[in-house]
Amino acid sequence: VTDRWSEPILHVDMDAFFVEVERLRRPELRGRPVVVGGAGERSVVAAASYESRRFGIRSAMPMTRARRLCPDLVIVPPDHREYGRLSERVFEVFRSFTPLVEGISVDEAFLDVAGLRLHRPDPVAIGHEIRSVLRSQVGLPASVGVAATKFVAKLASEAAKPDGLRHVLLAEQSAFLAALPVRALWGVGEATFAALAGLGVETVGELSRVPRRRLQAVLGPSLADHLVELADGRDPRPVTPDHEIKSISAEETFERDLATVEERTEALRVLADRVGHRVRRAGLAGRTVNVKVRLADFTTLTRSETLAGPTSADVEIFRIACRLVDRVDRLDRGVRLLGIGLSSLEGRDAPRQLSVEADPRWRELDETVDAVRDRFGRQAIGPARLSRPDRVDGGRWGIH
DNA sequence: TCTGGGGTCCTAGGACCC
DNA sequence: TCTGGGGTCCTAGGACCC
């Protein structure tokens, strides 16, 4: 038995979000090939307008190539603060319809609207209304997919782009899925796509005809089972509004590979401050410090250390990160990227063992710096600095 | 064409405990 | 002296997503 409410899951996806936010304050960018992204040699496209996509430009593409494809390309540097502000307004719109909103990024969310049965004609009407409110009140275009499950709704919004709505009825779901390329499935990236191509599988329909055991042999049992479920349209995952943060990290690809300890130490200091600040702002602390090192030849290594108790202090994160990076070989060949992350997160006031952070002065210093940064931006104040990275007694610190 | 930055999840081996 | 199986935690790497 189907009725107008058989497909109560919406996936709302903002169209070329960063670009459209820029166009709100710079209307002269409308109708032109625009991308948002860094201008540096090593930067990539973060968002591409539909005009630029006609030249073959896509997000994640190296900026040098994008420029070559479209010499008249307008490149706008990213302003994540502004995108964050607009993202909040977009999510306020979502939550004005239902509390069952699951954000999956700044510009994308699932909504379960089953509870609106008594208030609206059907989910498709709600989808149209959301699009229209986003357009009139926030000034941004969005595409909406309406389906019975999350993953079909997501595929539907993709099919609706740009600036459209697509409804996949339960009755037509298997035909809709069967025709899709496997690459469209959630969980099929480059590697899995290549493995499936080896089996002669190109569409979702072909995937569901492969014997499960054969698929398991090639992809591993977990991924194979997952994909078979999706291919057959089964996706029982509910829309879950609040998920907890698992990790917080900061990384940077340098314009020129770092060659010396001094350069690496300086970079780690900045990254540690960035991570520490964000972790504290989230009211969290972490027990595991992770570092990521990408060498000149692009090999990427990670090292991690789990502490007895959680920390959120810049100096402690910094000191451990330095030690971890030291354990990596071949640093002298040049370091392309450094990253620091904190995981095994807990509430900040969880009991902690005696550590550097137990010295209240560190906490006070970090909080003071945080307050200044929140008000005046990151440039307002540099990293708190110890005379030597291995000196953690707090005896000599200076802010500069 | 030489490949960002923020995340999540999975796998697999080894340590350690019972 | 030689041997077991399970559970949990930690570490490193990799695939994937936007």
Side-chain angles (χ1 to χ4, degrees):
Chain A
V1 181
T2 60
D3 66 18
R4 298 160 73 81
W5 290 85
S6 299
E7 300 89 21
I9 309 297
L10 270 54
H11 179 257
V12 188
D13 198 347
M14 307 304 292
D15 298 322
F17 182 58
F18 296 173
V19 170
E20 294 300 332
V21 172
E22 295 297 341
R23 283 173 169 168
L24 282 180
R25 40 183 191 184
R26 297 172 59 181
E28 71 274 16
L29 296 177
R30 291 182 204 281
R32 302 194 55 191
V34 181
V35 297
V36 170
E41 284 294 301
R42 289 176 168 179
S43 62
V44 300
V45 174
S49 72
Y50 281 84
E51 294 82 354
S52 74
R53 292 184 203 198
R54 280 203 282 275
F55 293 85
I57 294 171
R58 297 286 181 274
S59 58
M61 175 181 284
M63 197 61 86
T64 48
R65 178 164 185 227
R67 218 188 254 124
R68 224 170 299 134
L69 287 171
C70 174
D72 293 329
L73 190 64
V74 182
I75 301 171
V76 180
D79 178 356
H80 290 284
R81 273 197 173 213
E82 183 67 5
Y83 309 149
R85 273 193 282 273
L86 269 295
S87 174
E88 278 171 34
R89 292 184 51 200
V90 165
F91 275 77
E92 277 167 26
V93 171
F94 295 162
R95 282 188 289 264
S96 73
F97 284 83
T98 170
L100 290 180
V101 175
E102 177 179 347
I104 48 179
S105 73
V106 281
D107 69 335
E108 219 180 311
F110 290 111
L111 281 69
D112 182 340
V113 297
L116 300 183
R117 187 186 275 268
L118 300 178
H119 307 94
R120 294 289 199 296
D122 57 46
V124 170
I126 297 168
H128 285 305
E129 200 181 333
I130 290 174
R131 273 170 36 75
S132 132
V133 172
L134 287 170
R135 173 68 82 175
S136 62
Q137 291 180 18
V138 191
L140 296 172
S143 295
V144 173
V146 183
T149 61
K150 289 209 286 189
F151 104 101
V152 178
K154 175 140 170 72
L155 293 169
S157 74
E158 198 55 45
K161 278 178 170 299
D163 204 16
L165 181 145
R166 174 75 195 260
H167 179 201
V168 177
L169 287 159
L170 210 41
E172 62 180 6
Q173 184 173 287
S174 27
F176 173 77
L177 289 174
L180 289 172
V182 271
R183 189 68 176 76
L185 286 184
W186 238 11
V188 179
E190 221 175 323
T192 307
F193 175 69
L196 288 171
L199 293 174
V201 171
E202 281 173 17
T203 66
V204 174
E206 289 161 0
L207 176 70
S208 48
R209 284 196 290 274
V210 177
R212 188 184 287 244
R213 264 188 293 154
R214 196 154 150 64
L215 219 49
Q216 286 176 335
V218 176
L219 304 177
S222 170
L223 182 59
D225 288 349
H226 175 67
L227 292 185
V228 168
E229 295 296 292
L230 293 187
D232 293 345
R234 284 186 298 271
D235 177 19
R237 297 169 300 175
V239 173
T240 44
D242 24 41
H243 75 281
E244 55 183 322
I245 302 168
K246 302 271 172 58
S247 68
I248 291 178
S249 66
E251 65 181 50
E252 187 169 345
T253 295
F254 309 106
E255 285 288 315
R256 290 230 162 87
D257 295 346
L258 304 187
T260 67
V261 206
E262 289 75 23
E263 288 176 317
R264 295 195 293 268
T265 304
E266 216 35 59
L268 288 172
R269 202 190 300 280
V270 171
L271 290 169
D273 280 24
R274 218 173 278 172
V275 170
H277 179 234
R278 282 172 39 207
V279 164
R280 293 189 296 275
R281 198 174 45 191
L284 297 169
R287 278 180 57 230
T288 306
V289 179
N290 312 275
V291 299
K292 178 168 161 185
V293 179
R294 176 123 73 211
L295 301 174
D297 66 359
F298 222 75
T299 51
T300 306
L301 304 137
T302 61
R303 295 288 179 271
S304 69
E305 183 177 328
T306 298
L307 316 171
T311 183
S312 66
D314 294 344
V315 262
E316 191 168 24
I317 297 167
F318 169 62
R319 185 170 50 94
I320 294 162
C322 286
R323 207 158 63 207
L324 288 168
V325 169
D326 261 352
R327 285 177 32 204
V328 174
D329 295 327
R330 298 157 31 224
L331 290 171
D332 52 318
R333 298 192 195 171
V335 171
R336 181 188 177 93
L337 169 149
L338 284 174
I340 301 181
L342 215 55
S343 53
S344 309
L345 299 176
E346 306 173 10
R348 214 185 149 192
D349 292 317
R352 69 172 64 78
Q353 56 121 204
L354 204 66
S355 71
V356 111
E357 206 191 358
D359 183 334
R361 289 176 301 171
W362 286 118
R363 193 156 169 168
E364 282 164 32
L365 174 61
D366 287 340
E367 277 164 4
T368 307
V369 172
D370 289 345
V372 173
R373 283 207 188 115
D374 285 340
R375 272 185 74 177
F376 303 109
R378 204 154 72 200
Q379 296 75 18
I381 187 161
R385 182 159 200 165
L386 283 172
S387 51
R388 276 177 30 219
D390 53 342
R391 175 83 185 261
V392 292
D393 60 8
R396 297 165 58 194
W397 64 41
I399 300 174
H400 59 175

